[in-house]
Amino acid sequence: MISFLLSIVVLVVGYFTYGVFLEKVLGIDRQRKTPAYELRDDIDFTPLPTWKVFMIQFLNIAGLGPIFGAIAGAMFGPSAFLWIVLGSIFAGATHDYFSGMLSVRHNGLSISEVVGIYLGPGVKQLMRAFTIVLLIFVGTVFLVGPAKIIDGLTSESMGVSFWVMLILVYYFLSTLLPIDKLIGKLYPIFGVAMLIMAVGLLVVLMVGDYHIPELTGANLTNMTLNPEETPIFPVLFVTIACGAISGFHATQSPLMARCMRNEANGRSIFSGTMITEGVVALIWAAAAMVCFGNVTNLNETMAANNNNAAWAANEITLSMLGSVGGVLAVLGIIAAPITSGDTAFRSCRLILADIFKMDQKKYVKRFYISLPLFVIAYALTQVDFGIIWRYFAWSNQTLASVVLWTITAFLISKGKFYMVSLVPAIFMTMVCSTYILIAPEGFSLPNIYAYWGGALITSCVTALFSWYAFKGKLQVT
């Protein structure tokens, strides 16, 4: 329990210390006009109250990741706490703050366009395709996930396909309508459900007879059933993504960069939401470790239920909060992915609009861009959910790595302290390259070869970036 509580405290302190430091590294300008005012169209560019922007950003990024990912990460044991805390502060908050503020500084541009400014047109083209594919994956994952949860709650009377179609209709509307018409009105309600879920579980963990394992040397071992098949490095760092660092966040930040009233709000909107998500992930990881007795029982129970995190989340809420509290908490579980899925499609629309320089004031133009996205997403719902999730997890962290390299290039071009992003960029590159070499959905290499291969790839990427950044190829903008 002490380690769990200290982890929450460290996250909060990190926001008020390291978060302020990141803000000083960037150097905010309170007098600069934000895109919300400069390019106001009352569709995507529209100034919103800071509390509402915070809530929308939090719900955008807090999908299934800090719930499902934290439950899966808890199977490794208390080492999950360590990654959530260190990852959120030194990687996730850095990634989210700078990616959001770079979008603000570049008229609300999508992340693929920002990447192109600092890493060149070739990388921009690659990232355009990569980001669109990732967002369609996200939309599909956050379409199937909540549909299955709702279907389970309704005793499977309607069927998953019915709920998929219903959620798809909502996604279509939220993608086309002005941001303050549907998203801006529904998100505060969904936010209440999320807060009830998190606070409810936290209170039960505090007052209940639960023994959360401590962060000790003996407990920092790999507690999964097959440590050789699921080594902590790199698997844990991909399993817990949204609760520590997630490239998906960078695709969402431009939505709020177009609604921010002042640069001074960036720390709370971007870093603050990441730290809040880290707290949510900590709560779910702790709940998963104790709900089934201990970490060993968690692993055995998950294995008996095909590692179904949705099932585990439902069991945790019902057993720890009771029927009434459990229903409210499950509503939070449903709201979380839905409020990421809708903005995933909206982000995809904006990226395509940026690429084709297409004005978005007319509904018909938004319709033409959006319709193919939903057709593809619906087709992907027929693919095994587990396969989509695994590829999403790796591509998500790969995008985070690219964004961190972009941030580093920006800081170098401005003569600022670039180590804040360089270190996590190198680390996440090692994570992603090692994972794709070791994972079943990748090359399935023996661990030792994957580690050496990951180190080689990371060294090459670092060397290539150094040549680009310090040999005159990087243009100051």
Side-chain angles (χ1 to χ4, degrees), residues 341-376:
D342 57 5
T343 50
F345 287 115
R346 191 179 185 92
S347 298
C348 206
R349 171 176 68 79
L350 294 176
I351 290 173
L352 289 170
D354 285 345
I355 293 173
F356 295 110
K357 310 296 183 186
M358 187 180 292
D359 182 81
Q360 295 292 281
K361 289 184 179 181
K362 294 183 178 180
Y363 276 105
V364 66
K365 291 185 178 181
R366 283 175 262 157
F367 179 85
Y368 286 150
I369 289 182
S370 303
L371 185 59
L373 302 177
F374 290 101
V375 172
I376 295 170

PDB file of all heavy atoms in Angstrom, residues 341-376:
ATOM      1  N   GLY A 341     -12.449   6.743 -29.319  1.00  0.00           N
ATOM      2  CA  GLY A 341     -12.765   6.293 -30.670  1.00  0.00           C
ATOM      3  C   GLY A 341     -13.325   7.400 -31.535  1.00  0.00           C
ATOM      4  O   GLY A 341     -12.935   7.554 -32.707  1.00  0.00           O
ATOM      5  N   ASP A 342     -14.233   8.209 -30.954  1.00  0.00           N
ATOM      6  CA  ASP A 342     -14.824   9.271 -31.775  1.00  0.00           C
ATOM      7  C   ASP A 342     -13.787  10.296 -32.211  1.00  0.00           C
ATOM      8  O   ASP A 342     -13.765  10.739 -33.363  1.00  0.00           O
ATOM      9  CB  ASP A 342     -16.008   9.934 -31.056  1.00  0.00           C
ATOM     10  CG  ASP A 342     -15.642  10.518 -29.699  1.00  0.00           C
ATOM     11  OD1 ASP A 342     -14.464  10.511 -29.334  1.00  0.00           O
ATOM     12  OD2 ASP A 342     -16.573  10.996 -29.010  1.00  0.00           O
ATOM     13  N   THR A 343     -12.896  10.672 -31.315  1.00  0.00           N
ATOM     14  CA  THR A 343     -11.881  11.666 -31.681  1.00  0.00           C
ATOM     15  C   THR A 343     -10.760  11.064 -32.522  1.00  0.00           C
ATOM     16  O   THR A 343     -10.031  11.801 -33.194  1.00  0.00           O
ATOM     17  CB  THR A 343     -11.303  12.350 -30.429  1.00  0.00           C
ATOM     18  OG1 THR A 343     -10.921  11.356 -29.478  1.00  0.00           O
ATOM     19  CG2 THR A 343     -12.328  13.278 -29.811  1.00  0.00           C
ATOM     20  N   ALA A 344     -10.612   9.739 -32.487  1.00  0.00           N
ATOM     21  CA  ALA A 344      -9.648   9.099 -33.392  1.00  0.00           C
ATOM     22  C   ALA A 344     -10.086   9.319 -34.832  1.00  0.00           C
ATOM     23  O   ALA A 344      -9.288   9.696 -35.696  1.00  0.00           O
ATOM     24  CB  ALA A 344      -9.532   7.610 -33.082  1.00  0.00           C
ATOM     25  N   PHE A 345     -11.374   9.094 -35.094  1.00  0.00           N
ATOM     26  CA  PHE A 345     -11.890   9.328 -36.449  1.00  0.00           C
ATOM     27  C   PHE A 345     -11.871  10.808 -36.799  1.00  0.00           C
ATOM     28  O   PHE A 345     -11.592  11.182 -37.937  1.00  0.00           O
ATOM     29  CB  PHE A 345     -13.305   8.769 -36.573  1.00  0.00           C
ATOM     30  CG  PHE A 345     -13.362   7.268 -36.625  1.00  0.00           C
ATOM     31  CD1 PHE A 345     -13.969   6.541 -35.617  1.00  0.00           C
ATOM     32  CD2 PHE A 345     -12.799   6.575 -37.683  1.00  0.00           C
ATOM     33  CE1 PHE A 345     -14.025   5.158 -35.651  1.00  0.00           C
ATOM     34  CE2 PHE A 345     -12.845   5.184 -37.741  1.00  0.00           C
ATOM     35  CZ  PHE A 345     -13.460   4.471 -36.714  1.00  0.00           C
ATOM     36  N   ARG A 346     -12.169  11.656 -35.824  1.00  0.00           N
ATOM     37  CA  ARG A 346     -12.144  13.096 -36.077  1.00  0.00           C
ATOM     38  C   ARG A 346     -10.721  13.541 -36.416  1.00  0.00           C
ATOM     39  O   ARG A 346     -10.505  14.341 -37.340  1.00  0.00           O
ATOM     40  CB  ARG A 346     -12.668  13.864 -34.864  1.00  0.00           C
ATOM     41  CG  ARG A 346     -12.934  15.332 -35.141  1.00  0.00           C
ATOM     42  CD  ARG A 346     -13.467  16.060 -33.930  1.00  0.00           C
ATOM     43  NE  ARG A 346     -13.817  17.430 -34.256  1.00  0.00           N
ATOM     44  CZ  ARG A 346     -15.020  17.843 -34.638  1.00  0.00           C
ATOM     45  NH1 ARG A 346     -16.016  16.964 -34.718  1.00  0.00           N
ATOM     46  NH2 ARG A 346     -15.247  19.099 -34.923  1.00  0.00           N
ATOM     47  N   SER A 347      -9.735  13.029 -35.683  1.00  0.00           N
ATOM     48  CA  SER A 347      -8.331  13.347 -35.969  1.00  0.00           C
ATOM     49  C   SER A 347      -7.941  12.884 -37.358  1.00  0.00           C
ATOM     50  O   SER A 347      -7.219  13.580 -38.080  1.00  0.00           O
ATOM     51  CB  SER A 347      -7.418  12.688 -34.932  1.00  0.00           C
ATOM     52  OG  SER A 347      -7.670  13.172 -33.641  1.00  0.00           O
ATOM     53  N   CYS A 348      -8.426  11.707 -37.727  1.00  0.00           N
ATOM     54  CA  CYS A 348      -8.116  11.171 -39.051  1.00  0.00           C
ATOM     55  C   CYS A 348      -8.682  12.086 -40.137  1.00  0.00           C
ATOM     56  O   CYS A 348      -8.023  12.347 -41.152  1.00  0.00           O
ATOM     57  CB  CYS A 348      -8.709   9.769 -39.181  1.00  0.00           C
ATOM     58  SG  CYS A 348      -7.840   8.719 -40.350  1.00  0.00           S
ATOM     59  N   ARG A 349      -9.904  12.584 -39.917  1.00  0.00           N
ATOM     60  CA  ARG A 349     -10.487  13.529 -40.870  1.00  0.00           C
ATOM     61  C   ARG A 349      -9.626  14.777 -41.008  1.00  0.00           C
ATOM     62  O   ARG A 349      -9.377  15.272 -42.120  1.00  0.00           O
ATOM     63  CB  ARG A 349     -11.907  13.913 -40.423  1.00  0.00           C
ATOM     64  CG  ARG A 349     -12.490  15.062 -41.252  1.00  0.00           C
ATOM     65  CD  ARG A 349     -13.909  15.376 -40.892  1.00  0.00           C
ATOM     66  NE  ARG A 349     -14.091  15.953 -39.567  1.00  0.00           N
ATOM     67  CZ  ARG A 349     -13.877  17.215 -39.250  1.00  0.00           C
ATOM     68  NH1 ARG A 349     -13.396  18.068 -40.158  1.00  0.00           N
ATOM     69  NH2 ARG A 349     -14.108  17.663 -38.027  1.00  0.00           N
ATOM     70  N   LEU A 350      -9.143  15.301 -39.878  1.00  0.00           N
ATOM     71  CA  LEU A 350      -8.343  16.521 -39.906  1.00  0.00           C
ATOM     72  C   LEU A 350      -6.997  16.302 -40.592  1.00  0.00           C
ATOM     73  O   LEU A 350      -6.499  17.181 -41.295  1.00  0.00           O
ATOM     74  CB  LEU A 350      -8.139  17.036 -38.482  1.00  0.00           C
ATOM     75  CG  LEU A 350      -9.414  17.505 -37.767  1.00  0.00           C
ATOM     76  CD1 LEU A 350      -9.107  17.909 -36.338  1.00  0.00           C
ATOM     77  CD2 LEU A 350     -10.066  18.647 -38.529  1.00  0.00           C
ATOM     78  N   ILE A 351      -6.400  15.128 -40.383  1.00  0.00           N
ATOM     79  CA  ILE A 351      -5.132  14.829 -41.046  1.00  0.00           C
ATOM     80  C   ILE A 351      -5.331  14.799 -42.561  1.00  0.00           C
ATOM     81  O   ILE A 351      -4.542  15.376 -43.327  1.00  0.00           O
ATOM     82  CB  ILE A 351      -4.562  13.483 -40.547  1.00  0.00           C
ATOM     83  CG1 ILE A 351      -4.094  13.619 -39.100  1.00  0.00           C
ATOM     84  CG2 ILE A 351      -3.401  13.021 -41.428  1.00  0.00           C
ATOM     85  CD1 ILE A 351      -3.680  12.308 -38.466  1.00  0.00           C
ATOM     86  N   LEU A 352      -6.393  14.124 -43.004  1.00  0.00           N
ATOM     87  CA  LEU A 352      -6.667  14.065 -44.441  1.00  0.00           C
ATOM     88  C   LEU A 352      -6.968  15.455 -44.991  1.00  0.00           C
ATOM     89  O   LEU A 352      -6.563  15.791 -46.116  1.00  0.00           O
ATOM     90  CB  LEU A 352      -7.841  13.119 -44.703  1.00  0.00           C
ATOM     91  CG  LEU A 352      -7.542  11.632 -44.477  1.00  0.00           C
ATOM     92  CD1 LEU A 352      -8.835  10.817 -44.536  1.00  0.00           C
ATOM     93  CD2 LEU A 352      -6.545  11.118 -45.507  1.00  0.00           C
ATOM     94  N   ALA A 353      -7.675  16.267 -44.208  1.00  0.00           N
ATOM     95  CA  ALA A 353      -7.970  17.638 -44.640  1.00  0.00           C
ATOM     96  C   ALA A 353      -6.684  18.449 -44.752  1.00  0.00           C
ATOM     97  O   ALA A 353      -6.531  19.258 -45.685  1.00  0.00           O
ATOM     98  CB  ALA A 353      -8.931  18.299 -43.662  1.00  0.00           C
ATOM     99  N   ASP A 354      -5.745  18.259 -43.815  1.00  0.00           N
ATOM    100  CA  ASP A 354      -4.451  18.946 -43.885  1.00  0.00           C
ATOM    101  C   ASP A 354      -3.665  18.512 -45.117  1.00  0.00           C
ATOM    102  O   ASP A 354      -3.035  19.329 -45.797  1.00  0.00           O
ATOM    103  CB  ASP A 354      -3.632  18.664 -42.622  1.00  0.00           C
ATOM    104  CG  ASP A 354      -4.136  19.445 -41.415  1.00  0.00           C
ATOM    105  OD1 ASP A 354      -4.911  20.391 -41.609  1.00  0.00           O
ATOM    106  OD2 ASP A 354      -3.735  19.091 -40.285  1.00  0.00           O
ATOM    107  N   ILE A 355      -3.705  17.201 -45.398  1.00  0.00           N
ATOM    108  CA  ILE A 355      -2.952  16.668 -46.532  1.00  0.00           C
ATOM    109  C   ILE A 355      -3.463  17.250 -47.852  1.00  0.00           C
ATOM    110  O   ILE A 355      -2.683  17.689 -48.705  1.00  0.00           O
ATOM    111  CB  ILE A 355      -3.032  15.125 -46.564  1.00  0.00           C
ATOM    112  CG1 ILE A 355      -2.280  14.525 -45.359  1.00  0.00           C
ATOM    113  CG2 ILE A 355      -2.458  14.579 -47.871  1.00  0.00           C
ATOM    114  CD1 ILE A 355      -2.450  13.030 -45.215  1.00  0.00           C
ATOM    115  N   PHE A 356      -4.784  17.255 -48.013  1.00  0.00           N
ATOM    116  CA  PHE A 356      -5.382  17.682 -49.281  1.00  0.00           C
ATOM    117  C   PHE A 356      -5.774  19.164 -49.287  1.00  0.00           C
ATOM    118  O   PHE A 356      -6.408  19.629 -50.250  1.00  0.00           O
ATOM    119  CB  PHE A 356      -6.607  16.814 -49.588  1.00  0.00           C
ATOM    120  CG  PHE A 356      -6.273  15.368 -49.821  1.00  0.00           C
ATOM    121  CD1 PHE A 356      -6.637  14.401 -48.893  1.00  0.00           C
ATOM    122  CD2 PHE A 356      -5.569  14.974 -50.949  1.00  0.00           C
ATOM    123  CE1 PHE A 356      -6.326  13.067 -49.088  1.00  0.00           C
ATOM    124  CE2 PHE A 356      -5.246  13.637 -51.156  1.00  0.00           C
ATOM    125  CZ  PHE A 356      -5.626  12.677 -50.220  1.00  0.00           C
ATOM    126  N   LYS A 357      -5.397  19.867 -48.197  1.00  0.00           N
ATOM    127  CA  LYS A 357      -5.696  21.301 -48.103  1.00  0.00           C
ATOM    128  C   LYS A 357      -7.191  21.558 -48.347  1.00  0.00           C
ATOM    129  O   LYS A 357      -7.580  22.483 -49.062  1.00  0.00           O
ATOM    130  CB  LYS A 357      -4.875  22.103 -49.116  1.00  0.00           C
ATOM    131  CG  LYS A 357      -3.386  21.804 -49.116  1.00  0.00           C
ATOM    132  CD  LYS A 357      -2.722  22.187 -47.809  1.00  0.00           C
ATOM    133  CE  LYS A 357      -1.220  21.935 -47.861  1.00  0.00           C
ATOM    134  NZ  LYS A 357      -0.568  22.158 -46.552  1.00  0.00           N
ATOM    135  N   MET A 358      -8.018  20.751 -47.753  1.00  0.00           N
ATOM    136  CA  MET A 358      -9.451  20.815 -47.983  1.00  0.00           C
ATOM    137  C   MET A 358     -10.146  21.565 -46.852  1.00  0.00           C
ATOM    138  O   MET A 358     -10.038  21.179 -45.686  1.00  0.00           O
ATOM    139  CB  MET A 358     -10.037  19.403 -48.109  1.00  0.00           C
ATOM    140  CG  MET A 358     -11.509  19.378 -48.523  1.00  0.00           C
ATOM    141  SD  MET A 358     -12.156  17.687 -48.661  1.00  0.00           S
ATOM    142  CE  MET A 358     -11.225  17.109 -50.089  1.00  0.00           C
ATOM    143  N   ASP A 359     -10.834  22.625 -47.171  1.00  0.00           N
ATOM    144  CA  ASP A 359     -11.580  23.390 -46.183  1.00  0.00           C
ATOM    145  C   ASP A 359     -12.687  22.519 -45.582  1.00  0.00           C
ATOM    146  O   ASP A 359     -13.327  21.737 -46.287  1.00  0.00           O
ATOM    147  CB  ASP A 359     -12.202  24.619 -46.849  1.00  0.00           C
ATOM    148  CG  ASP A 359     -12.949  25.482 -45.852  1.00  0.00           C
ATOM    149  OD1 ASP A 359     -12.297  26.273 -45.155  1.00  0.00           O
ATOM    150  OD2 ASP A 359     -14.182  25.344 -45.762  1.00  0.00           O
ATOM    151  N   GLN A 360     -12.903  22.669 -44.274  1.00  0.00           N
ATOM    152  CA  GLN A 360     -13.846  21.790 -43.574  1.00  0.00           C
ATOM    153  C   GLN A 360     -15.118  22.501 -43.119  1.00  0.00           C
ATOM    154  O   GLN A 360     -15.853  21.983 -42.277  1.00  0.00           O
ATOM    155  CB  GLN A 360     -13.149  21.162 -42.374  1.00  0.00           C
ATOM    156  CG  GLN A 360     -12.015  20.225 -42.741  1.00  0.00           C
ATOM    157  CD  GLN A 360     -12.518  18.972 -43.424  1.00  0.00           C
ATOM    158  OE1 GLN A 360     -12.998  18.058 -42.781  1.00  0.00           O
ATOM    159  NE2 GLN A 360     -12.422  18.929 -44.746  1.00  0.00           N
ATOM    160  N   LYS A 361     -15.407  23.668 -43.663  1.00  0.00           N
ATOM    161  CA  LYS A 361     -16.583  24.408 -43.216  1.00  0.00           C
ATOM    162  C   LYS A 361     -17.885  23.778 -43.703  1.00  0.00           C
ATOM    163  O   LYS A 361     -18.911  23.863 -43.047  1.00  0.00           O
ATOM    164  CB  LYS A 361     -16.495  25.862 -43.682  1.00  0.00           C
ATOM    165  CG  LYS A 361     -15.432  26.669 -42.947  1.00  0.00           C
ATOM    166  CD  LYS A 361     -15.445  28.126 -43.372  1.00  0.00           C
ATOM    167  CE  LYS A 361     -14.399  28.922 -42.603  1.00  0.00           C
ATOM    168  NZ  LYS A 361     -14.399  30.360 -42.987  1.00  0.00           N
ATOM    169  N   LYS A 362     -17.854  23.134 -44.870  1.00  0.00           N
ATOM    170  CA  LYS A 362     -19.057  22.531 -45.419  1.00  0.00           C
ATOM    171  C   LYS A 362     -19.191  21.070 -44.987  1.00  0.00           C
ATOM    172  O   LYS A 362     -18.231  20.305 -45.033  1.00  0.00           O
ATOM    173  CB  LYS A 362     -19.042  22.628 -46.943  1.00  0.00           C
ATOM    174  CG  LYS A 362     -19.131  24.054 -47.468  1.00  0.00           C
ATOM    175  CD  LYS A 362     -19.197  24.082 -48.981  1.00  0.00           C
ATOM    176  CE  LYS A 362     -19.337  25.506 -49.504  1.00  0.00           C
ATOM    177  NZ  LYS A 362     -19.398  25.553 -50.983  1.00  0.00           N
ATOM    178  N   TYR A 363     -20.414  20.697 -44.603  1.00  0.00           N
ATOM    179  CA  TYR A 363     -20.678  19.326 -44.165  1.00  0.00           C
ATOM    180  C   TYR A 363     -20.331  18.304 -45.245  1.00  0.00           C
ATOM    181  O   TYR A 363     -19.807  17.230 -44.954  1.00  0.00           O
ATOM    182  CB  TYR A 363     -22.154  19.162 -43.785  1.00  0.00           C
ATOM    183  CG  TYR A 363     -22.488  19.594 -42.385  1.00  0.00           C
ATOM    184  CD1 TYR A 363     -23.149  20.793 -42.159  1.00  0.00           C
ATOM    185  CD2 TYR A 363     -22.152  18.811 -41.290  1.00  0.00           C
ATOM    186  CE1 TYR A 363     -23.463  21.210 -40.880  1.00  0.00           C
ATOM    187  CE2 TYR A 363     -22.465  19.207 -40.003  1.00  0.00           C
ATOM    188  CZ  TYR A 363     -23.122  20.407 -39.799  1.00  0.00           C
ATOM    189  OH  TYR A 363     -23.429  20.809 -38.528  1.00  0.00           O
ATOM    190  N   VAL A 364     -20.633  18.654 -46.496  1.00  0.00           N
ATOM    191  CA  VAL A 364     -20.437  17.686 -47.567  1.00  0.00           C
ATOM    192  C   VAL A 364     -18.972  17.290 -47.707  1.00  0.00           C
ATOM    193  O   VAL A 364     -18.648  16.119 -47.975  1.00  0.00           O
ATOM    194  CB  VAL A 364     -21.000  18.230 -48.904  1.00  0.00           C
ATOM    195  CG1 VAL A 364     -20.201  19.447 -49.382  1.00  0.00           C
ATOM    196  CG2 VAL A 364     -21.026  17.144 -49.967  1.00  0.00           C
ATOM    197  N   LYS A 365     -18.060  18.232 -47.497  1.00  0.00           N
ATOM    198  CA  LYS A 365     -16.633  17.920 -47.594  1.00  0.00           C
ATOM    199  C   LYS A 365     -16.195  17.031 -46.431  1.00  0.00           C
ATOM    200  O   LYS A 365     -15.390  16.116 -46.607  1.00  0.00           O
ATOM    201  CB  LYS A 365     -15.811  19.209 -47.624  1.00  0.00           C
ATOM    202  CG  LYS A 365     -15.994  20.007 -48.916  1.00  0.00           C
ATOM    203  CD  LYS A 365     -15.072  21.202 -48.964  1.00  0.00           C
ATOM    204  CE  LYS A 365     -15.230  21.953 -50.298  1.00  0.00           C
ATOM    205  NZ  LYS A 365     -14.322  23.121 -50.377  1.00  0.00           N
ATOM    206  N   ARG A 366     -16.727  17.309 -45.250  1.00  0.00           N
ATOM    207  CA  ARG A 366     -16.434  16.448 -44.093  1.00  0.00           C
ATOM    208  C   ARG A 366     -16.983  15.037 -44.322  1.00  0.00           C
ATOM    209  O   ARG A 366     -16.376  14.044 -43.926  1.00  0.00           O
ATOM    210  CB  ARG A 366     -17.020  17.054 -42.823  1.00  0.00           C
ATOM    211  CG  ARG A 366     -16.215  18.216 -42.255  1.00  0.00           C
ATOM    212  CD  ARG A 366     -16.916  18.847 -41.080  1.00  0.00           C
ATOM    213  NE  ARG A 366     -17.651  20.047 -41.469  1.00  0.00           N
ATOM    214  CZ  ARG A 366     -18.659  20.559 -40.816  1.00  0.00           C
ATOM    215  NH1 ARG A 366     -19.117  19.950 -39.730  1.00  0.00           N
ATOM    216  NH2 ARG A 366     -19.257  21.649 -41.234  1.00  0.00           N
ATOM    217  N   PHE A 367     -18.134  14.975 -44.946  1.00  0.00           N
ATOM    218  CA  PHE A 367     -18.772  13.684 -45.225  1.00  0.00           C
ATOM    219  C   PHE A 367     -17.921  12.865 -46.187  1.00  0.00           C
ATOM    220  O   PHE A 367     -17.693  11.671 -45.960  1.00  0.00           O
ATOM    221  CB  PHE A 367     -20.168  13.919 -45.804  1.00  0.00           C
ATOM    222  CG  PHE A 367     -20.903  12.652 -46.139  1.00  0.00           C
ATOM    223  CD1 PHE A 367     -21.620  11.972 -45.167  1.00  0.00           C
ATOM    224  CD2 PHE A 367     -20.880  12.145 -47.434  1.00  0.00           C
ATOM    225  CE1 PHE A 367     -22.303  10.797 -45.477  1.00  0.00           C
ATOM    226  CE2 PHE A 367     -21.550  10.972 -47.754  1.00  0.00           C
ATOM    227  CZ  PHE A 367     -22.265  10.295 -46.778  1.00  0.00           C
ATOM    228  N   TYR A 368     -17.460  13.479 -47.271  1.00  0.00           N
ATOM    229  CA  TYR A 368     -16.665  12.759 -48.273  1.00  0.00           C
ATOM    230  C   TYR A 368     -15.376  12.196 -47.674  1.00  0.00           C
ATOM    231  O   TYR A 368     -14.947  11.089 -48.024  1.00  0.00           O
ATOM    232  CB  TYR A 368     -16.322  13.691 -49.444  1.00  0.00           C
ATOM    233  CG  TYR A 368     -17.485  13.985 -50.364  1.00  0.00           C
ATOM    234  CD1 TYR A 368     -17.568  15.199 -51.041  1.00  0.00           C
ATOM    235  CD2 TYR A 368     -18.496  13.052 -50.553  1.00  0.00           C
ATOM    236  CE1 TYR A 368     -18.636  15.481 -51.888  1.00  0.00           C
ATOM    237  CE2 TYR A 368     -19.570  13.324 -51.397  1.00  0.00           C
ATOM    238  CZ  TYR A 368     -19.637  14.534 -52.052  1.00  0.00           C
ATOM    239  OH  TYR A 368     -20.689  14.803 -52.880  1.00  0.00           O
ATOM    240  N   ILE A 369     -14.750  12.957 -46.778  1.00  0.00           N
ATOM    241  CA  ILE A 369     -13.510  12.490 -46.159  1.00  0.00           C
ATOM    242  C   ILE A 369     -13.782  11.366 -45.157  1.00  0.00           C
ATOM    243  O   ILE A 369     -13.039  10.388 -45.076  1.00  0.00           O
ATOM    244  CB  ILE A 369     -12.780  13.651 -45.449  1.00  0.00           C
ATOM    245  CG1 ILE A 369     -12.186  14.608 -46.473  1.00  0.00           C
ATOM    246  CG2 ILE A 369     -11.673  13.125 -44.538  1.00  0.00           C
ATOM    247  CD1 ILE A 369     -11.405  15.751 -45.865  1.00  0.00           C
ATOM    248  N   SER A 370     -14.869  11.488 -44.410  1.00  0.00           N
ATOM    249  CA  SER A 370     -15.129  10.576 -43.294  1.00  0.00           C
ATOM    250  C   SER A 370     -15.690   9.230 -43.713  1.00  0.00           C
ATOM    251  O   SER A 370     -15.366   8.201 -43.101  1.00  0.00           O
ATOM    252  CB  SER A 370     -16.097  11.232 -42.304  1.00  0.00           C
ATOM    253  OG  SER A 370     -15.593  12.456 -41.834  1.00  0.00           O
ATOM    254  N   LEU A 371     -16.539   9.200 -44.722  1.00  0.00           N
ATOM    255  CA  LEU A 371     -17.238   7.964 -45.079  1.00  0.00           C
ATOM    256  C   LEU A 371     -16.310   6.779 -45.332  1.00  0.00           C
ATOM    257  O   LEU A 371     -16.537   5.692 -44.788  1.00  0.00           O
ATOM    258  CB  LEU A 371     -18.141   8.207 -46.298  1.00  0.00           C
ATOM    259  CG  LEU A 371     -19.029   7.016 -46.709  1.00  0.00           C
ATOM    260  CD1 LEU A 371     -19.949   6.623 -45.555  1.00  0.00           C
ATOM    261  CD2 LEU A 371     -19.834   7.363 -47.963  1.00  0.00           C
ATOM    262  N   PRO A 372     -15.234   6.932 -46.139  1.00  0.00           N
ATOM    263  CA  PRO A 372     -14.343   5.782 -46.363  1.00  0.00           C
ATOM    264  C   PRO A 372     -13.699   5.263 -45.073  1.00  0.00           C
ATOM    265  O   PRO A 372     -13.448   4.057 -44.943  1.00  0.00           O
ATOM    266  CB  PRO A 372     -13.287   6.334 -47.321  1.00  0.00           C
ATOM    267  CG  PRO A 372     -13.927   7.513 -47.963  1.00  0.00           C
ATOM    268  CD  PRO A 372     -14.818   8.104 -46.929  1.00  0.00           C
ATOM    269  N   LEU A 373     -13.440   6.159 -44.119  1.00  0.00           N
ATOM    270  CA  LEU A 373     -12.823   5.740 -42.862  1.00  0.00           C
ATOM    271  C   LEU A 373     -13.725   4.772 -42.109  1.00  0.00           C
ATOM    272  O   LEU A 373     -13.259   3.760 -41.562  1.00  0.00           O
ATOM    273  CB  LEU A 373     -12.536   6.966 -41.987  1.00  0.00           C
ATOM    274  CG  LEU A 373     -11.634   8.050 -42.572  1.00  0.00           C
ATOM    275  CD1 LEU A 373     -11.526   9.220 -41.605  1.00  0.00           C
ATOM    276  CD2 LEU A 373     -10.253   7.484 -42.884  1.00  0.00           C
ATOM    277  N   PHE A 374     -15.007   5.053 -42.098  1.00  0.00           N
ATOM    278  CA  PHE A 374     -15.938   4.203 -41.363  1.00  0.00           C
ATOM    279  C   PHE A 374     -16.203   2.883 -42.080  1.00  0.00           C
ATOM    280  O   PHE A 374     -16.436   1.861 -41.439  1.00  0.00           O
ATOM    281  CB  PHE A 374     -17.237   4.968 -41.108  1.00  0.00           C
ATOM    282  CG  PHE A 374     -17.080   6.071 -40.107  1.00  0.00           C
ATOM    283  CD1 PHE A 374     -16.962   7.381 -40.513  1.00  0.00           C
ATOM    284  CD2 PHE A 374     -17.010   5.788 -38.747  1.00  0.00           C
ATOM    285  CE1 PHE A 374     -16.795   8.401 -39.587  1.00  0.00           C
ATOM    286  CE2 PHE A 374     -16.845   6.798 -37.818  1.00  0.00           C
ATOM    287  CZ  PHE A 374     -16.737   8.105 -38.239  1.00  0.00           C
ATOM    288  N   VAL A 375     -16.161   2.907 -43.387  1.00  0.00           N
ATOM    289  CA  VAL A 375     -16.309   1.661 -44.151  1.00  0.00           C
ATOM    290  C   VAL A 375     -15.149   0.718 -43.836  1.00  0.00           C
ATOM    291  O   VAL A 375     -15.344  -0.478 -43.584  1.00  0.00           O
ATOM    292  CB  VAL A 375     -16.378   1.955 -45.664  1.00  0.00           C
ATOM    293  CG1 VAL A 375     -16.325   0.656 -46.463  1.00  0.00           C
ATOM    294  CG2 VAL A 375     -17.639   2.739 -45.991  1.00  0.00           C
ATOM    295  N   ILE A 376     -13.921   1.275 -43.826  1.00  0.00           N
ATOM    296  CA  ILE A 376     -12.737   0.468 -43.518  1.00  0.00           C
ATOM    297  C   ILE A 376     -12.799  -0.041 -42.082  1.00  0.00           C
ATOM    298  O   ILE A 376     -12.512  -1.217 -41.809  1.00  0.00           O
ATOM    299  CB  ILE A 376     -11.453   1.295 -43.731  1.00  0.00           C
ATOM    300  CG1 ILE A 376     -11.298   1.654 -45.207  1.00  0.00           C
ATOM    301  CG2 ILE A 376     -10.225   0.528 -43.243  1.00  0.00           C
ATOM    302  CD1 ILE A 376     -10.194   2.666 -45.481  1.00  0.00           C
TER     303      ILE A 376
END
